[in-house]
Amino acid sequence: MFWPALATAVSSWWLLTGLALLLAHQSGQRARAGFILVSVLALASLLLVPFNASLETPMAAALGFILGLVIWCWLEISYLLGYVNGPNHEPCPPEVRVWDRFKGAVSTTIYHEACVVGAVACLALISVTEPNPTAFYTVTVLWLMRWSAKLNLFFGVRAFNERWLPDHLDYLVSYLRTDRLSAFLPISTAIGFFVTYLIFMDATTVPDLTEQLSLYLVGSLMLLASIEHLFLMFPVNEAALWRWARANEPQLRAVRVEKDGI
C-alpha cells in the first residue's frame, strides 16, 4: 500500500500545484473561466464527501484523498487570484515593529483563513465520525502545514521564490523575512518529519486496508509538505518541477540569502 499511496500523493501534488500555478498567473476572462471551473469541481467534491466518507474500501480512501485535494486547490486559487484574501492590500511600511508587521500580515489574508477554517470545520462535521474521513484528514494536513510555512516566512527563511506569487500579490513579499533563518524553521520541519514517521508507523499496524491506505496517503502528503519546508532552508530550483506551468513567464527568481546563523 505504501508505494501506490506515495505515487498517488506525489503525482496529484505535482499536477494540482502546477495547474494552480498556471491559473493563478492568468488574467481577465481566462482567470474567471478557470476559477468557475475549479469552483464547480470543488462544490461537486464537497457534495460527494459525505457519500465517500461512508464507504469503507481502498478505492474510497483514494477518492477521498483526491476530493480533499480538489477542495484545497479551490481554496488556494481563490486566494492567489485575489478573490478571497483580506482587507489589507498595502505593502508593509519599513522599520515597523514585529507586532505591527504581524497584524498587517494577518490582515492581508484573514478572510481566506476564515474560509479555510470554515471548510475544515465543515469537512469535520460531515465526515470525522464516518469510517473514511480521508478528505478531512487531507485538507487538515495541508491547512496546518501551510500555516507552518506562513509562520516560517514571517519569522525568517533563507530562500523563497517570490515569483510564485502573481503580480497583484507582490505586496505580500514585504511582510516576509528572507534575510535570516529563524529557529522556528528547523524545529517545525523536524516536527513535520516526526509526525510523518508516526503516521507511517501507525499505518503499518492497521489491519484494515482502507484505513491503511488513508494513512499512507495522508502521511505521504505530510512528507511532501515537510520537504517543502526544507526548500525554505536551502536555495534549490524546485520551480523546475513546474516549468510547464510557467512556460510564458521568466524563470522564477529565488531569493537567496548568504548570511549564516539563526
Side-chain angles (χ1 to χ4, degrees):
M1 282 292 181
F2 170 74
W3 291 110
L6 182 63
T8 300
V10 170
S11 58
S12 301
W13 164 79
W14 174 78
L15 178 60
L16 289 180
T17 299
L19 291 175
L21 181 63
L22 179 65
L23 181 57
H25 288 83
Q26 302 299 315
S27 60
Q29 187 62 32
R30 284 187 178 181
R32 289 190 291 271
F35 182 70
I36 290 173
L37 176 60
V38 174
S39 298
V40 172
L41 293 175
L43 179 59
S45 298
L46 186 61
L47 294 175
L48 283 173
V49 166
F51 173 72
N52 173 261
S54 67
L55 301 177
E56 198 169 1
T57 66
M59 183 62 69
L63 178 59
F65 180 73
I66 299 300
L67 294 177
L69 288 180
V70 172
I71 293 170
W72 182 259
C73 187
W74 181 89
L75 291 168
E76 285 294 285
I77 290 174
S78 68
Y79 179 74
L80 291 173
L81 289 178
Y83 295 151
V84 184
N85 38 43
N88 181 19
H89 301 274
E90 300 298 326
C92 181
E95 306 299 329
V96 298
R97 296 179 301 173
V98 174
W99 177 243
D100 291 331
R101 185 166 63 92
F102 180 77
K103 289 191 296 183
V106 170
S107 65
T108 66
T109 185
I110 188 64
Y111 301 152
H112 178 258
E113 298 304 333
C115 185
V116 173
V117 171
V120 172
C122 179
L123 289 172
L125 184 65
I126 63 181
S127 67
V128 74
T129 59
E130 298 295 329
N132 176 33
T134 308
F136 165 69
Y137 291 153
T138 299
V139 176
T140 300
V141 164
L142 289 167
W143 169 48
L144 294 177
M145 292 304 286
R146 178 53 55 89
W147 250 111
S148 175
K150 286 183 176 180
L151 287 174
N152 277 302
L153 286 167
F154 178 82
F155 290 129
V157 299
R158 278 204 174 113
F160 173 63
N161 284 322
E162 64 182 69
R163 291 304 300 167
W164 286 118
L165 298 173
D167 292 341
H168 60 267
L169 294 181
D170 279 350
Y171 62 90
L172 294 176
V173 178
S174 63
Y175 292 93
L176 313 181
R177 290 203 65 172
T178 57
D179 61 340
R180 63 191 294 267
L181 179 65
S182 75
F184 184 66
L185 181 52
I187 293 173
S188 60
T189 304
I191 291 174
F193 281 112
F194 180 66
V195 172
T196 301
Y197 168 79
L198 293 179
I199 295 174
F200 283 154
M201 288 301 99
D202 193 26
T204 62
T205 63
V206 172
D208 181 70
L209 289 180
T210 302
E211 187 176 356
Q212 185 181 88
L213 179 59
S214 177
L215 288 172
Y216 275 135
L217 286 167
V218 173
S220 298
L221 195 61
M222 188 77 186
L223 175 63
L224 291 170
S226 301
I227 292 174
E228 285 186 325
H229 277 50
L230 289 178
F231 293 161
L232 299 176
M233 290 189 199
F234 308 104
V236 295
N237 188 26
E238 79 278 12
L241 293 171
W242 297 279
R243 188 168 293 158
W244 56 271
R246 297 293 304 278
N248 60 337
E249 294 283 341
Q251 186 175 2
L252 300 180
R253 301 190 303 269
V255 178
R256 302 167 186 262
V257 179
E258 302 296 335
K259 184 178 179 180
D260 295 326
I262 296 177

